[in-house]
Structure formats: structure tokens, C-alpha cells
Amino acid sequence: MNWKLWSLKKSIWVFHVNTGACNNCDIEIVNLLTPKFDVERFGIKLVGSPRHADALLVTGGGTRQAAVRLREVYRQTAKPCVVFCMGACACGMGIFEKGYHMAGPIDKIVKEVDPNAIIAYVPGCPPKPETMISGVVKALSAL
Amino acid sequence: MTEAVRKPVLAVGPFHPLQEEMEFFQLTVDGEIVTDIDVRISYNHRGIEKLSEGLQFDQVPFLVSRICGICSASHPLAYVQAVEEIAGVEPPERALYVRTIINELERIHSHLLWVGLAGHFIGYDTVFMWAWKYREPVLDLLEEITGNRNNYGNVKVGGCREDIPDELVPKMLKELDAIEKKTEMLTKAVLDDPVIHARLKGVGVLKKEDGIKFAVTGPTARGSGIAIDVRRDDPYAAYSDLDWQVISQPEGDVFAKAVVRLLETIEAAKMTRQALKKLPKGPVAVEVKEIPPGEGCGHAEAPRGETFHYVRSDGGNRPVRHKVRAPSFVNVPSFKASCIGESIADVTITLAAVDPCYSCTERMAVVDGRRNVIHDYASLLQMSRAKTTRLRKEIGAPEMKLEDI
């Protein structure tokens, strides 16, 4: 295994990117840090800058204004990194698919910057915190 | 010197570790003191009103519950009330009680969420962890009733989709007791804490006159001594049958808003218990066959303030116009009154104090696709004024200065 990927899998630090979500996935992500789920015990930590992050937790379907910023955030993230599409909107724009202000889905936006980006999908509206943990574990063990 | 001295500007956003959502604040600072604030939004605009015109009346509640994940019971309720006004349908009494219970449970979880985040913003993570821990049982109850922790999708035109099973009532009453006890403990701990007093009292004061001028709603208004509440002023669902009080505090600072939210949480637990005990028997929905032409309004008290929905129907199976006004839309401009003169360190908690929710608010985006220019409010205003001046010249009206208007 590539040593960079090997080191990525230990204690991933995540940066949360909201690209036009309804807040639901966001509060469930914050919920992961609180006593009931407490992912910090696995070394997963929410950080304040994409430059410190190993993974991006992307929520929302990617509005036209957010797409520009998402590409910029992806460029700033240290590589290799994993992009987690959290929720139905991030996976395929969900109920907002036909909206005139949507530039998504997220995988399309990210692949414009880096065609070889590692992207993982966690569906659900919103995914339960347990689903999110399970999604992250499955994605990391598949690397 | 013709050009004004350029003031230092502090940019916060669009992605900032303190914010869950994208928003952009531009603070003009003089040393540590904020002298002006500009807000740029519409990063989160999704075109919900237009999408709603392409959906059937029955499908729209699922869309409007995704306007905002935290107010996902209030928005559909306001929409459904508007459609029921058009159709002239009276939902059965049990449905009204179920709606009340879900809305009050939502208020408990939203207010506890705010208290936690406020603690996090002032660097008091103990409050954050406590409040979010006490919030979990509420989400579990909501999941047990509606099948989802958030985005309940429980109201429909003519009633409710899911009933509260009678066997669940004793369990809910027990859980509510526990929630109320823990919230009371949290309230006492927060209100007696000298650090929180020192950090929140006298910070970000929104005076009553300013509050009325900016037409703020919800806990932001009630924290400034404006005791307005849709649940009392224009009762909907089963609120007129319940015994409860509107909480308001006269000070207008962040501390007052925190007190209002904490006391409202306890009040909401009491209301839910009353509604559960009074829960009438009977069906939970009536059948609605056709929506006649007409227009209707519905409003509900979301955790952040009054949410208002307007729906127009032409007799078909889709709304021809659907307009939403969310509470943060009026609460956000009040930053102009509450943030100026504060120090930079106090601005974050002042901004957080109205519990702004941008996913609700973003209704307008002007994007110039060819040149990739995004106009903000100031440039739109300037463009609008320039056009007026040009038109005036064209029709030969006497020139008017801005000061004259």
C-alpha cells in the first residue's frame, strides 16, 4: 500500500464544507462530536482550515456560488484527501435536482479540479450519525 | 484628498470554522471596535420557490421541510395552513394536537442546539457538550413518532401523516420529565455562572426601538422586550387550548436572548406534556380531493421567529405561486444595530445570538453569467439609483439629489 494512503487512514482530520445544504446534515455532523457519538475518541477531529484536513465532509448539492468556493477549498486541501459526500443532496442533488441555481452534484464539481479524486458517498436525508460513522469506516477500509 | 481614507476591513467567511453555513461578513474596524458591518448572503440559494411551482400540492411539504433542517416542522406547517385556507378544510382535532406536539419538540431541540452553539462560540465547550447531550432524547422521540430524527415530513394537507401511538404516550411523558429536569439544571448552571454573566451581559444590545425598526421576530424580539408570538397572537394548531406564557426579557443583550430561549425550552416541555394529556381520540387526517382556485396565507412560530407562507392556486394540482418569508430574513439586518460599537471578540456571539439560518433566508441571487460578476446589495442599490437618474434625464424631469428624497 502507498505509504501516503496508509498514513491518511489513521486519525483523519476533517473539514466541513456546506455547499447549500438545509442545515440538517450539518447539525448531524456536529452531533458526531457530542457525547452520544463522540468520534474524537477515534482521532477524528473537525478542523478549521482545509490545509490541516485529510478529508472534506461536503454537505449540500453545490449551488452556483458555492461551486467556485468548493473547488478552491479542494485545491487547498493537502493531498491525498478523501471527499465524503454527506447526504442525498451531496450524492445527487436530491430534491433540488431541478433547481436553476444548482451547479452540482459534488462529485462533478470536484472532478473538474482533480479527475482522480477519492470520493465516498453517504446517502440519507439526513444520514443518521451512525450511518455517517459506518460510511467513513467503510470508505477508509476500502482505500 | 478626494478619496476617503480606507478603513481596515476584516472578512469573516464564506467558509469559517465558526459557521455551519456559508455567509460572508465584512467588518469595518477601527482598532478593536467594529464601525460598520456588511453581510453578503445567497451562497445557499437553491431556488425553492420556483421548484415548488413544479411540484404537486402534496409533494411541496417535503420540499419546504428542506428549506431549513432545524425548522423542518414549522415551514411545512405554515405551508399546509395556507393550502388549507384555500381549500377551506378543517383538519381533525387530533391532527392539531399532533402538530403542536411535533412543533414544540422541535422548539426544545432547536433552542438546546442554540444554547450549545452559543457556549461553543464563547469558548465554553462544557455547555456545548451538555446541551447537545440533553438534546438527544428529543431527537429519539421524534424519530419514534415520525421515523426521522430531522425532516419529519409529518404534516399534509388535511391533517398529519403519522399518528402518535397511544402506547408511546407514557414513554414520552417520562422522557419529557427527564428533559425538563435536565434543562432546568442547565438553566440554573448557565444563569448562575459568573463567566457567562461577564461574557454575555451588556453585549450586542438590540434596543426595543431598533428591534421594532428592523421588525425582528421570535426570541430576538422577545429578548428586546417586544412580546410578540404568533402562537398567542394568532393561534394555530392547538395552542389556544393550552395554558402557557410568552417569555420576554427587556434588556436586549445576548444574555437576555439566552434566558428567553432557555425558559422557552422549559415552557415547550410543559406545553408538550399538556397536549399529550389532552390528546383527543379520532382520525388524524381528512381527505382533500381538490384545491380550488384562490390564495391563502399561513404562518407559524418557528424556533427563530415567525415563518410566513403565501400560496396561490389556479385550480390545478400545483401551486402557481409560493412565497416564503423566513424569520432570519428580518433578524439578520438587525446586526446593523447590535454589532456596531462592539469589539471584534464580541461580534461572533452577537451574530450568533439571533440564531441566523441562511438556508431559510436566501431568496435572491443576481448573477451575471457572462462576466461572472455577483452583485451585492450596495451595487444593486447603486444600479437602481443610476437607472432612476437616467430615466429622469430621458423624460426631462428636474434633477434630484439623494438628500432631497
Side-chain angles (χ1 to χ4, degrees), chain A residues 16 18 20 22-24 28 30-31 34 36 63 65 100-101 125 128, chain B residues 15 20-22 42-45 66 69 136 140 143 148-151:
Chain A
H16 171 215
N18 179 329
C22 71
N23 255 342
N24 235 330
E28 296 291 53
V30 179
N31 232 339
T34 56
K36 190 169 178 189
T63 60
Q65 292 217 34
Y100 56 83
H101 205 249
C125 188
K128 289 180 74 173
Chain B
F15 291 111
E20 282 304 306
E21 296 174 89
M22 292 171 288
S42 90
Y43 294 99
N44 213 339
H45 177 82
R66 279 152 185 85
E136 279 299 322
D140 290 343
E143 189 182 5
N148 209 349
R149 287 161 58 92
N150 314 91
N151 278 354

PDB file of all heavy atoms in Angstrom, chain A residues 16 18 20 22-24 28 30-31 34 36 63 65 100-101 125 128, chain B residues 15 20-22 42-45 66 69 136 140 143 148-151:
ATOM      1  N   HIS A  16     -15.352  20.683   7.309  1.00  0.00           N
ATOM      2  CA  HIS A  16     -16.757  20.613   6.919  1.00  0.00           C
ATOM      3  C   HIS A  16     -17.070  21.715   5.907  1.00  0.00           C
ATOM      4  O   HIS A  16     -16.826  22.878   6.176  1.00  0.00           O
ATOM      5  CB  HIS A  16     -17.611  20.740   8.187  1.00  0.00           C
ATOM      6  CG  HIS A  16     -19.054  20.906   7.919  1.00  0.00           C
ATOM      7  ND1 HIS A  16     -19.868  21.676   8.699  1.00  0.00           N
ATOM      8  CD2 HIS A  16     -19.832  20.407   6.946  1.00  0.00           C
ATOM      9  CE1 HIS A  16     -21.083  21.639   8.202  1.00  0.00           C
ATOM     10  NE2 HIS A  16     -21.087  20.882   7.148  1.00  0.00           N
ATOM     11  N   ASN A  18     -20.107  23.300   3.676  1.00  0.00           N
ATOM     12  CA  ASN A  18     -21.526  23.350   3.366  1.00  0.00           C
ATOM     13  C   ASN A  18     -21.674  24.010   1.996  1.00  0.00           C
ATOM     14  O   ASN A  18     -21.273  25.140   1.808  1.00  0.00           O
ATOM     15  CB  ASN A  18     -22.237  24.174   4.444  1.00  0.00           C
ATOM     16  CG  ASN A  18     -23.706  24.313   4.199  1.00  0.00           C
ATOM     17  OD1 ASN A  18     -24.158  24.333   3.067  1.00  0.00           O
ATOM     18  ND2 ASN A  18     -24.471  24.432   5.249  1.00  0.00           N
ATOM     19  N   GLY A  20     -24.603  24.521   0.308  1.00  0.00           N
ATOM     20  CA  GLY A  20     -26.011  24.750   0.021  1.00  0.00           C
ATOM     21  C   GLY A  20     -26.881  23.652   0.591  1.00  0.00           C
ATOM     22  O   GLY A  20     -27.802  23.181  -0.064  1.00  0.00           O
ATOM     23  N   CYS A  22     -29.425  22.120   3.789  1.00  0.00           N
ATOM     24  CA  CYS A  22     -30.509  22.705   4.560  1.00  0.00           C
ATOM     25  C   CYS A  22     -30.164  22.717   6.036  1.00  0.00           C
ATOM     26  O   CYS A  22     -31.049  22.912   6.848  1.00  0.00           O
ATOM     27  CB  CYS A  22     -31.802  21.953   4.310  1.00  0.00           C
ATOM     28  SG  CYS A  22     -31.828  20.331   5.022  1.00  0.00           S
ATOM     29  N   ASN A  23     -28.923  22.504   6.430  1.00  0.00           N
ATOM     30  CA  ASN A  23     -28.525  22.550   7.829  1.00  0.00           C
ATOM     31  C   ASN A  23     -28.678  21.231   8.541  1.00  0.00           C
ATOM     32  O   ASN A  23     -28.194  21.066   9.640  1.00  0.00           O
ATOM     33  CB  ASN A  23     -29.384  23.548   8.631  1.00  0.00           C
ATOM     34  CG  ASN A  23     -28.649  24.802   8.930  1.00  0.00           C
ATOM     35  OD1 ASN A  23     -27.434  24.792   8.834  1.00  0.00           O
ATOM     36  ND2 ASN A  23     -29.335  25.841   9.272  1.00  0.00           N
ATOM     37  N   ASN A  24     -29.423  20.304   7.913  1.00  0.00           N
ATOM     38  CA  ASN A  24     -29.747  19.082   8.612  1.00  0.00           C
ATOM     39  C   ASN A  24     -28.527  18.183   8.733  1.00  0.00           C
ATOM     40  O   ASN A  24     -28.193  17.703   9.814  1.00  0.00           O
ATOM     41  CB  ASN A  24     -30.811  18.343   7.804  1.00  0.00           C
ATOM     42  CG  ASN A  24     -31.989  18.065   8.635  1.00  0.00           C
ATOM     43  OD1 ASN A  24     -31.850  17.900   9.836  1.00  0.00           O
ATOM     44  ND2 ASN A  24     -33.126  18.024   8.037  1.00  0.00           N
ATOM     45  N   GLU A  28     -26.194  17.170  12.066  1.00  0.00           N
ATOM     46  CA  GLU A  28     -25.876  15.770  12.377  1.00  0.00           C
ATOM     47  C   GLU A  28     -24.360  15.566  12.416  1.00  0.00           C
ATOM     48  O   GLU A  28     -23.873  14.731  13.178  1.00  0.00           O
ATOM     49  CB  GLU A  28     -26.530  14.831  11.360  1.00  0.00           C
ATOM     50  CG  GLU A  28     -28.044  14.835  11.370  1.00  0.00           C
ATOM     51  CD  GLU A  28     -28.653  14.223  12.616  1.00  0.00           C
ATOM     52  OE1 GLU A  28     -28.293  14.636  13.733  1.00  0.00           O
ATOM     53  OE2 GLU A  28     -29.513  13.340  12.486  1.00  0.00           O
ATOM     54  N   VAL A  30     -22.207  17.907  13.407  1.00  0.00           N
ATOM     55  CA  VAL A  30     -21.787  18.448  14.704  1.00  0.00           C
ATOM     56  C   VAL A  30     -22.164  17.478  15.815  1.00  0.00           C
ATOM     57  O   VAL A  30     -21.445  17.333  16.801  1.00  0.00           O
ATOM     58  CB  VAL A  30     -22.396  19.851  14.926  1.00  0.00           C
ATOM     59  CG1 VAL A  30     -21.986  20.419  16.258  1.00  0.00           C
ATOM     60  CG2 VAL A  30     -21.964  20.790  13.827  1.00  0.00           C
ATOM     61  N   ASN A  31     -23.316  16.794  15.606  1.00  0.00           N
ATOM     62  CA  ASN A  31     -23.761  15.796  16.575  1.00  0.00           C
ATOM     63  C   ASN A  31     -22.719  14.704  16.800  1.00  0.00           C
ATOM     64  O   ASN A  31     -22.629  14.135  17.885  1.00  0.00           O
ATOM     65  CB  ASN A  31     -25.036  15.138  16.044  1.00  0.00           C
ATOM     66  CG  ASN A  31     -26.131  15.180  17.055  1.00  0.00           C
ATOM     67  OD1 ASN A  31     -25.864  15.327  18.241  1.00  0.00           O
ATOM     68  ND2 ASN A  31     -27.345  15.069  16.600  1.00  0.00           N
ATOM     69  N   THR A  34     -20.477  15.267  19.770  1.00  0.00           N
ATOM     70  CA  THR A  34     -21.050  15.426  21.108  1.00  0.00           C
ATOM     71  C   THR A  34     -21.107  14.075  21.829  1.00  0.00           C
ATOM     72  O   THR A  34     -20.907  13.039  21.209  1.00  0.00           O
ATOM     73  CB  THR A  34     -22.447  16.056  21.001  1.00  0.00           C
ATOM     74  OG1 THR A  34     -23.214  15.226  20.141  1.00  0.00           O
ATOM     75  CG2 THR A  34     -22.374  17.445  20.424  1.00  0.00           C
ATOM     76  N   LYS A  36     -22.892  11.644  22.796  1.00  0.00           N
ATOM     77  CA  LYS A  36     -23.524  10.374  22.451  1.00  0.00           C
ATOM     78  C   LYS A  36     -22.710   9.593  21.423  1.00  0.00           C
ATOM     79  O   LYS A  36     -22.619   8.379  21.496  1.00  0.00           O
ATOM     80  CB  LYS A  36     -24.936  10.608  21.922  1.00  0.00           C
ATOM     81  CG  LYS A  36     -25.697   9.312  21.781  1.00  0.00           C
ATOM     82  CD  LYS A  36     -27.156   9.536  21.523  1.00  0.00           C
ATOM     83  CE  LYS A  36     -27.857   8.211  21.333  1.00  0.00           C
ATOM     84  NZ  LYS A  36     -29.221   8.378  20.872  1.00  0.00           N
ATOM     85  N   THR A  63     -24.481  24.824  -4.881  1.00  0.00           N
ATOM     86  CA  THR A  63     -25.110  25.921  -5.608  1.00  0.00           C
ATOM     87  C   THR A  63     -24.052  26.597  -6.474  1.00  0.00           C
ATOM     88  O   THR A  63     -22.868  26.341  -6.335  1.00  0.00           O
ATOM     89  CB  THR A  63     -25.706  26.949  -4.632  1.00  0.00           C
ATOM     90  OG1 THR A  63     -24.657  27.445  -3.825  1.00  0.00           O
ATOM     91  CG2 THR A  63     -26.757  26.338  -3.756  1.00  0.00           C
ATOM     92  N   GLN A  65     -22.925  29.579  -6.515  1.00  0.00           N
ATOM     93  CA  GLN A  65     -21.953  30.375  -5.779  1.00  0.00           C
ATOM     94  C   GLN A  65     -21.020  29.497  -4.970  1.00  0.00           C
ATOM     95  O   GLN A  65     -19.862  29.835  -4.750  1.00  0.00           O
ATOM     96  CB  GLN A  65     -22.676  31.342  -4.837  1.00  0.00           C
ATOM     97  CG  GLN A  65     -23.418  32.401  -5.551  1.00  0.00           C
ATOM     98  CD  GLN A  65     -23.328  33.717  -4.807  1.00  0.00           C
ATOM     99  OE1 GLN A  65     -22.322  34.013  -4.191  1.00  0.00           O
ATOM    100  NE2 GLN A  65     -24.371  34.498  -4.871  1.00  0.00           N
ATOM    101  N   TYR A 100     -32.722  25.927 -10.535  1.00  0.00           N
ATOM    102  CA  TYR A 100     -31.956  26.689 -11.522  1.00  0.00           C
ATOM    103  C   TYR A 100     -30.635  27.181 -10.973  1.00  0.00           C
ATOM    104  O   TYR A 100     -29.799  27.664 -11.716  1.00  0.00           O
ATOM    105  CB  TYR A 100     -32.785  27.887 -12.006  1.00  0.00           C
ATOM    106  CG  TYR A 100     -33.247  28.804 -10.907  1.00  0.00           C
ATOM    107  CD1 TYR A 100     -32.420  29.787 -10.406  1.00  0.00           C
ATOM    108  CD2 TYR A 100     -34.516  28.673 -10.352  1.00  0.00           C
ATOM    109  CE1 TYR A 100     -32.841  30.628  -9.397  1.00  0.00           C
ATOM    110  CE2 TYR A 100     -34.937  29.491  -9.341  1.00  0.00           C
ATOM    111  CZ  TYR A 100     -34.094  30.476  -8.870  1.00  0.00           C
ATOM    112  OH  TYR A 100     -34.500  31.284  -7.854  1.00  0.00           O
ATOM    113  N   HIS A 101     -30.436  27.086  -9.662  1.00  0.00           N
ATOM    114  CA  HIS A 101     -29.227  27.655  -9.074  1.00  0.00           C
ATOM    115  C   HIS A 101     -28.243  26.569  -8.660  1.00  0.00           C
ATOM    116  O   HIS A 101     -27.323  26.815  -7.902  1.00  0.00           O
ATOM    117  CB  HIS A 101     -29.609  28.531  -7.867  1.00  0.00           C
ATOM    118  CG  HIS A 101     -28.605  29.587  -7.553  1.00  0.00           C
ATOM    119  ND1 HIS A 101     -27.840  29.553  -6.417  1.00  0.00           N
ATOM    120  CD2 HIS A 101     -28.230  30.682  -8.223  1.00  0.00           C
ATOM    121  CE1 HIS A 101     -27.047  30.595  -6.411  1.00  0.00           C
ATOM    122  NE2 HIS A 101     -27.258  31.301  -7.477  1.00  0.00           N
ATOM    123  N   CYS A 125     -31.321  11.343   4.145  1.00  0.00           N
ATOM    124  CA  CYS A 125     -31.769  12.733   4.213  1.00  0.00           C
ATOM    125  C   CYS A 125     -32.373  13.020   5.576  1.00  0.00           C
ATOM    126  O   CYS A 125     -33.562  12.935   5.736  1.00  0.00           O
ATOM    127  CB  CYS A 125     -32.772  13.046   3.122  1.00  0.00           C
ATOM    128  SG  CYS A 125     -33.172  14.774   3.029  1.00  0.00           S
ATOM    129  N   LYS A 128     -28.197   9.275   9.370  1.00  0.00           N
ATOM    130  CA  LYS A 128     -28.083   9.271  10.833  1.00  0.00           C
ATOM    131  C   LYS A 128     -26.607   9.288  11.200  1.00  0.00           C
ATOM    132  O   LYS A 128     -25.767   8.820  10.414  1.00  0.00           O
ATOM    133  CB  LYS A 128     -28.727   7.998  11.396  1.00  0.00           C
ATOM    134  CG  LYS A 128     -30.218   8.020  11.286  1.00  0.00           C
ATOM    135  CD  LYS A 128     -30.813   6.759  11.843  1.00  0.00           C
ATOM    136  CE  LYS A 128     -30.749   6.739  13.348  1.00  0.00           C
ATOM    137  NZ  LYS A 128     -31.469   5.602  13.921  1.00  0.00           N
TER     138      LYS A 128
ATOM    139  N   PHE B  15     -16.396  30.388   4.119  1.00  0.00           N
ATOM    140  CA  PHE B  15     -16.221  29.204   4.962  1.00  0.00           C
ATOM    141  C   PHE B  15     -15.419  29.615   6.172  1.00  0.00           C
ATOM    142  O   PHE B  15     -14.271  30.043   6.045  1.00  0.00           O
ATOM    143  CB  PHE B  15     -15.489  28.096   4.193  1.00  0.00           C
ATOM    144  CG  PHE B  15     -16.306  27.508   3.110  1.00  0.00           C
ATOM    145  CD1 PHE B  15     -15.998  27.704   1.785  1.00  0.00           C
ATOM    146  CD2 PHE B  15     -17.416  26.755   3.419  1.00  0.00           C
ATOM    147  CE1 PHE B  15     -16.772  27.167   0.786  1.00  0.00           C
ATOM    148  CE2 PHE B  15     -18.193  26.212   2.421  1.00  0.00           C
ATOM    149  CZ  PHE B  15     -17.872  26.413   1.111  1.00  0.00           C
ATOM    150  N   GLU B  20     -21.612  27.170  10.496  1.00  0.00           N
ATOM    151  CA  GLU B  20     -22.023  25.935   9.860  1.00  0.00           C
ATOM    152  C   GLU B  20     -22.301  26.181   8.397  1.00  0.00           C
ATOM    153  O   GLU B  20     -22.104  25.317   7.566  1.00  0.00           O
ATOM    154  CB  GLU B  20     -23.285  25.401  10.533  1.00  0.00           C
ATOM    155  CG  GLU B  20     -23.050  24.715  11.846  1.00  0.00           C
ATOM    156  CD  GLU B  20     -22.069  23.579  11.713  1.00  0.00           C
ATOM    157  OE1 GLU B  20     -22.300  22.715  10.873  1.00  0.00           O
ATOM    158  OE2 GLU B  20     -21.063  23.587  12.441  1.00  0.00           O
ATOM    159  N   GLU B  21     -22.818  27.356   8.088  1.00  0.00           N
ATOM    160  CA  GLU B  21     -23.256  27.635   6.731  1.00  0.00           C
ATOM    161  C   GLU B  21     -22.367  28.683   6.099  1.00  0.00           C
ATOM    162  O   GLU B  21     -21.567  29.311   6.759  1.00  0.00           O
ATOM    163  CB  GLU B  21     -24.689  28.171   6.766  1.00  0.00           C
ATOM    164  CG  GLU B  21     -25.657  27.176   7.275  1.00  0.00           C
ATOM    165  CD  GLU B  21     -27.004  27.803   7.433  1.00  0.00           C
ATOM    166  OE1 GLU B  21     -27.743  27.784   6.467  1.00  0.00           O
ATOM    167  OE2 GLU B  21     -27.309  28.332   8.490  1.00  0.00           O
ATOM    168  N   MET B  22     -22.564  28.873   4.800  1.00  0.00           N
ATOM    169  CA  MET B  22     -21.788  29.892   4.108  1.00  0.00           C
ATOM    170  C   MET B  22     -22.458  31.236   4.280  1.00  0.00           C
ATOM    171  O   MET B  22     -23.629  31.413   3.947  1.00  0.00           O
ATOM    172  CB  MET B  22     -21.740  29.575   2.625  1.00  0.00           C
ATOM    173  CG  MET B  22     -20.950  28.365   2.301  1.00  0.00           C
ATOM    174  SD  MET B  22     -21.204  27.979   0.600  1.00  0.00           S
ATOM    175  CE  MET B  22     -22.854  27.384   0.643  1.00  0.00           C
ATOM    176  N   SER B  42     -26.685  34.657   0.036  1.00  0.00           N
ATOM    177  CA  SER B  42     -27.101  33.998  -1.215  1.00  0.00           C
ATOM    178  C   SER B  42     -26.114  32.952  -1.691  1.00  0.00           C
ATOM    179  O   SER B  42     -26.187  32.513  -2.825  1.00  0.00           O
ATOM    180  CB  SER B  42     -27.411  34.981  -2.352  1.00  0.00           C
ATOM    181  OG  SER B  42     -26.271  35.256  -3.135  1.00  0.00           O
ATOM    182  N   TYR B  43     -25.201  32.496  -0.837  1.00  0.00           N
ATOM    183  CA  TYR B  43     -24.379  31.350  -1.192  1.00  0.00           C
ATOM    184  C   TYR B  43     -25.231  30.081  -1.177  1.00  0.00           C
ATOM    185  O   TYR B  43     -24.907  29.088  -1.789  1.00  0.00           O
ATOM    186  CB  TYR B  43     -23.231  31.174  -0.196  1.00  0.00           C
ATOM    187  CG  TYR B  43     -22.246  32.307  -0.233  1.00  0.00           C
ATOM    188  CD1 TYR B  43     -22.295  33.321   0.692  1.00  0.00           C
ATOM    189  CD2 TYR B  43     -21.273  32.336  -1.209  1.00  0.00           C
ATOM    190  CE1 TYR B  43     -21.402  34.352   0.643  1.00  0.00           C
ATOM    191  CE2 TYR B  43     -20.375  33.372  -1.263  1.00  0.00           C
ATOM    192  CZ  TYR B  43     -20.441  34.380  -0.339  1.00  0.00           C
ATOM    193  OH  TYR B  43     -19.575  35.409  -0.387  1.00  0.00           O
ATOM    194  N   ASN B  44     -26.287  30.146  -0.406  1.00  0.00           N
ATOM    195  CA  ASN B  44     -27.077  28.955  -0.138  1.00  0.00           C
ATOM    196  C   ASN B  44     -28.399  28.955  -0.898  1.00  0.00           C
ATOM    197  O   ASN B  44     -29.283  28.162  -0.620  1.00  0.00           O
ATOM    198  CB  ASN B  44     -27.361  28.902   1.368  1.00  0.00           C
ATOM    199  CG  ASN B  44     -27.420  27.504   1.875  1.00  0.00           C
ATOM    200  OD1 ASN B  44     -27.645  26.590   1.096  1.00  0.00           O
ATOM    201  ND2 ASN B  44     -27.248  27.318   3.149  1.00  0.00           N
ATOM    202  N   HIS B  45     -28.524  29.862  -1.883  1.00  0.00           N
ATOM    203  CA  HIS B  45     -29.784  29.978  -2.608  1.00  0.00           C
ATOM    204  C   HIS B  45     -30.007  28.744  -3.471  1.00  0.00           C
ATOM    205  O   HIS B  45     -29.136  28.367  -4.238  1.00  0.00           O
ATOM    206  CB  HIS B  45     -29.731  31.234  -3.472  1.00  0.00           C
ATOM    207  CG  HIS B  45     -30.931  31.434  -4.317  1.00  0.00           C
ATOM    208  ND1 HIS B  45     -32.071  31.993  -3.823  1.00  0.00           N
ATOM    209  CD2 HIS B  45     -31.180  31.120  -5.601  1.00  0.00           C
ATOM    210  CE1 HIS B  45     -32.979  32.030  -4.785  1.00  0.00           C
ATOM    211  NE2 HIS B  45     -32.462  31.504  -5.870  1.00  0.00           N
ATOM    212  N   ARG B  66     -37.309  20.952   3.743  1.00  0.00           N
ATOM    213  CA  ARG B  66     -35.872  21.035   3.485  1.00  0.00           C
ATOM    214  C   ARG B  66     -35.413  22.468   3.237  1.00  0.00           C
ATOM    215  O   ARG B  66     -34.291  22.684   2.804  1.00  0.00           O
ATOM    216  CB  ARG B  66     -35.490  20.126   2.328  1.00  0.00           C
ATOM    217  CG  ARG B  66     -35.347  18.697   2.796  1.00  0.00           C
ATOM    218  CD  ARG B  66     -35.635  17.699   1.723  1.00  0.00           C
ATOM    219  NE  ARG B  66     -35.600  16.336   2.245  1.00  0.00           N
ATOM    220  CZ  ARG B  66     -36.627  15.733   2.833  1.00  0.00           C
ATOM    221  NH1 ARG B  66     -37.757  16.375   2.992  1.00  0.00           N
ATOM    222  NH2 ARG B  66     -36.513  14.502   3.280  1.00  0.00           N
ATOM    223  N   GLY B  69     -33.289  22.577   7.883  1.00  0.00           N
ATOM    224  CA  GLY B  69     -33.380  21.318   8.594  1.00  0.00           C
ATOM    225  C   GLY B  69     -33.787  21.462  10.033  1.00  0.00           C
ATOM    226  O   GLY B  69     -34.313  20.522  10.630  1.00  0.00           O
ATOM    227  N   GLU B 136     -30.400  14.902  22.695  1.00  0.00           N
ATOM    228  CA  GLU B 136     -30.520  13.603  22.029  1.00  0.00           C
ATOM    229  C   GLU B 136     -31.853  12.889  22.296  1.00  0.00           C
ATOM    230  O   GLU B 136     -32.468  12.393  21.358  1.00  0.00           O
ATOM    231  CB  GLU B 136     -29.361  12.692  22.413  1.00  0.00           C
ATOM    232  CG  GLU B 136     -28.085  12.956  21.639  1.00  0.00           C
ATOM    233  CD  GLU B 136     -28.247  12.760  20.150  1.00  0.00           C
ATOM    234  OE1 GLU B 136     -28.966  11.834  19.748  1.00  0.00           O
ATOM    235  OE2 GLU B 136     -27.670  13.539  19.386  1.00  0.00           O
ATOM    236  N   ASP B 140     -34.628  11.326  19.623  1.00  0.00           N
ATOM    237  CA  ASP B 140     -35.063   9.931  19.638  1.00  0.00           C
ATOM    238  C   ASP B 140     -36.589   9.842  19.656  1.00  0.00           C
ATOM    239  O   ASP B 140     -37.176   9.000  18.969  1.00  0.00           O
ATOM    240  CB  ASP B 140     -34.471   9.206  20.852  1.00  0.00           C
ATOM    241  CG  ASP B 140     -32.970   9.004  20.692  1.00  0.00           C
ATOM    242  OD1 ASP B 140     -32.496   9.132  19.555  1.00  0.00           O
ATOM    243  OD2 ASP B 140     -32.280   8.737  21.690  1.00  0.00           O
ATOM    244  N   GLU B 143     -37.885  10.641  16.306  1.00  0.00           N
ATOM    245  CA  GLU B 143     -37.645   9.526  15.397  1.00  0.00           C
ATOM    246  C   GLU B 143     -38.695   8.444  15.612  1.00  0.00           C
ATOM    247  O   GLU B 143     -39.181   7.828  14.663  1.00  0.00           O
ATOM    248  CB  GLU B 143     -36.242   8.960  15.621  1.00  0.00           C
ATOM    249  CG  GLU B 143     -35.854   7.946  14.574  1.00  0.00           C
ATOM    250  CD  GLU B 143     -34.492   7.344  14.818  1.00  0.00           C
ATOM    251  OE1 GLU B 143     -33.878   7.656  15.858  1.00  0.00           O
ATOM    252  OE2 GLU B 143     -34.042   6.567  13.984  1.00  0.00           O
ATOM    253  N   ASN B 148     -37.921   9.861  11.499  1.00  0.00           N
ATOM    254  CA  ASN B 148     -36.673  10.523  11.133  1.00  0.00           C
ATOM    255  C   ASN B 148     -36.270  11.478  12.259  1.00  0.00           C
ATOM    256  O   ASN B 148     -37.125  12.069  12.893  1.00  0.00           O
ATOM    257  CB  ASN B 148     -36.849  11.299   9.824  1.00  0.00           C
ATOM    258  CG  ASN B 148     -35.559  11.390   9.050  1.00  0.00           C
ATOM    259  OD1 ASN B 148     -34.500  11.063   9.566  1.00  0.00           O
ATOM    260  ND2 ASN B 148     -35.648  11.839   7.829  1.00  0.00           N
ATOM    261  N   ARG B 149     -34.974  11.602  12.458  1.00  0.00           N
ATOM    262  CA  ARG B 149     -34.500  12.482  13.531  1.00  0.00           C
ATOM    263  C   ARG B 149     -34.749  13.946  13.207  1.00  0.00           C
ATOM    264  O   ARG B 149     -35.043  14.757  14.083  1.00  0.00           O
ATOM    265  CB  ARG B 149     -33.002  12.261  13.762  1.00  0.00           C
ATOM    266  CG  ARG B 149     -32.672  10.968  14.445  1.00  0.00           C
ATOM    267  CD  ARG B 149     -31.232  10.615  14.214  1.00  0.00           C
ATOM    268  NE  ARG B 149     -30.331  11.626  14.675  1.00  0.00           N
ATOM    269  CZ  ARG B 149     -29.782  11.667  15.894  1.00  0.00           C
ATOM    270  NH1 ARG B 149     -30.078  10.724  16.750  1.00  0.00           N
ATOM    271  NH2 ARG B 149     -28.961  12.615  16.232  1.00  0.00           N
ATOM    272  N   ASN B 150     -34.562  14.321  11.946  1.00  0.00           N
ATOM    273  CA  ASN B 150     -34.916  15.660  11.476  1.00  0.00           C
ATOM    274  C   ASN B 150     -35.723  15.454  10.200  1.00  0.00           C
ATOM    275  O   ASN B 150     -35.856  14.335   9.760  1.00  0.00           O
ATOM    276  CB  ASN B 150     -33.676  16.485  11.160  1.00  0.00           C
ATOM    277  CG  ASN B 150     -32.636  16.380  12.244  1.00  0.00           C
ATOM    278  OD1 ASN B 150     -31.779  15.527  12.183  1.00  0.00           O
ATOM    279  ND2 ASN B 150     -32.713  17.217  13.233  1.00  0.00           N
ATOM    280  N   ASN B 151     -36.198  16.531   9.591  1.00  0.00           N
ATOM    281  CA  ASN B 151     -37.012  16.409   8.371  1.00  0.00           C
ATOM    282  C   ASN B 151     -38.147  15.415   8.565  1.00  0.00           C
ATOM    283  O   ASN B 151     -38.160  14.341   7.979  1.00  0.00           O
ATOM    284  CB  ASN B 151     -36.147  15.921   7.193  1.00  0.00           C
ATOM    285  CG  ASN B 151     -35.377  17.038   6.562  1.00  0.00           C
ATOM    286  OD1 ASN B 151     -35.583  18.180   6.929  1.00  0.00           O
ATOM    287  ND2 ASN B 151     -34.497  16.714   5.656  1.00  0.00           N
TER     288      ASN B 151
END
